[in-house]
Amino acid sequence: MPASNVIGLVMAAGYSRRFGQHDKRCAALADGRSLLATSVANAEQAFALLRVAIRAEDDANLLGLAEHTPLIRLHQAHLGLGASLAEAVRALSHDAQLNSSEAVAILLGDMPWIKQETLLSLQRLATVNTIVRPCHAGKQGHPVIFGRALWPALEALSGNTGAKDLIRDNADHYRAYDVQDAGTLMDIDAPADLVVPEHFTPDEA
């Protein structure tokens, strides 16, 4: 069962310039669903509480999102990932429905193949004071879960640096969790990435 104290936050406000002129969030996967809709649906199954962060001007329908999808509309997305994370986490902090939440799992909207088992296991490791991250084949993956004690630091992020420096500066709170899940490393950066490798199936993701 999903943990009731961990929020899933899908970050989907980036501009994905490496993908080309098309919005990769709308790119279709093998089953016809959009990349973002697939990532969100996967997260919905694993998290009792979920928010999806998109740009203020985005049309959620064009992105393939269901009408019931709980959105956070970001006005600072053009300033980079760090600014987007800060704005999104501030919104979580001020959401009365989330007052009892102890941690937030930062998921990326272009990673649709993470196993449910992985997402559930990570939630069980989360505490208010820890940073939890999956590792596969010696590489750091996603999502990263930040305990609520770290939220003020997330809210102070800016620019496009993300949370790498925050993780480094809080090494005492960091917990790596080894997983047998290649989906924790598989993000979609280019159209060619939409094709699942032959040795890997979504059932294993």
CSV table of all heavy atoms in Angstrom, one decimal, residues 56 67 70 120-121 155:
chain,number,residue,atom,x,y,z
A,56,ALA,N,2.5,27.6,-16.1
A,56,ALA,CA,1.3,28.3,-15.8
A,56,ALA,C,0.4,28.3,-17.1
A,56,ALA,O,-0.8,28.2,-17.0
A,56,ALA,CB,1.6,29.7,-15.4
A,67,GLU,N,-8.8,15.1,-16.3
A,67,GLU,CA,-9.4,16.3,-15.6
A,67,GLU,C,-9.1,16.3,-14.1
A,67,GLU,O,-9.0,17.4,-13.5
A,67,GLU,CB,-10.9,16.4,-16.0
A,67,GLU,CG,-11.2,16.7,-17.4
A,67,GLU,CD,-12.6,16.9,-17.6
A,67,GLU,OE1,-13.4,16.9,-16.7
A,67,GLU,OE2,-13.1,17.0,-18.8
A,70,PRO,N,-4.4,16.6,-10.0
A,70,PRO,CA,-4.1,17.7,-9.2
A,70,PRO,C,-2.8,18.5,-9.6
A,70,PRO,O,-1.7,17.9,-9.6
A,70,PRO,CB,-3.9,17.1,-7.8
A,70,PRO,CG,-3.5,15.7,-8.1
A,70,PRO,CD,-4.1,15.3,-9.4
A,120,LEU,N,7.1,2.1,-4.0
A,120,LEU,CA,6.5,1.8,-2.7
A,120,LEU,C,7.6,1.6,-1.7
A,120,LEU,O,7.5,2.0,-0.5
A,120,LEU,CB,5.6,0.6,-2.8
A,120,LEU,CG,4.3,0.7,-3.6
A,120,LEU,CD1,3.6,-0.6,-3.8
A,120,LEU,CD2,3.4,1.8,-3.0
A,121,SER,N,8.7,0.9,-2.1
A,121,SER,CA,9.8,0.6,-1.1
A,121,SER,C,10.5,1.9,-0.7
A,121,SER,O,10.8,2.0,0.5
A,121,SER,CB,10.8,-0.3,-1.8
A,121,SER,OG,10.2,-1.6,-2.1
A,155,GLU,N,13.0,25.0,-1.1
A,155,GLU,CA,12.3,26.3,-1.4
A,155,GLU,C,13.3,27.4,-1.7
A,155,GLU,O,12.9,28.4,-2.3
A,155,GLU,CB,11.3,26.7,-0.2
A,155,GLU,CG,10.2,25.7,0.0
A,155,GLU,CD,9.3,26.0,1.2
A,155,GLU,OE1,9.1,27.3,1.4
A,155,GLU,OE2,8.8,25.1,1.8
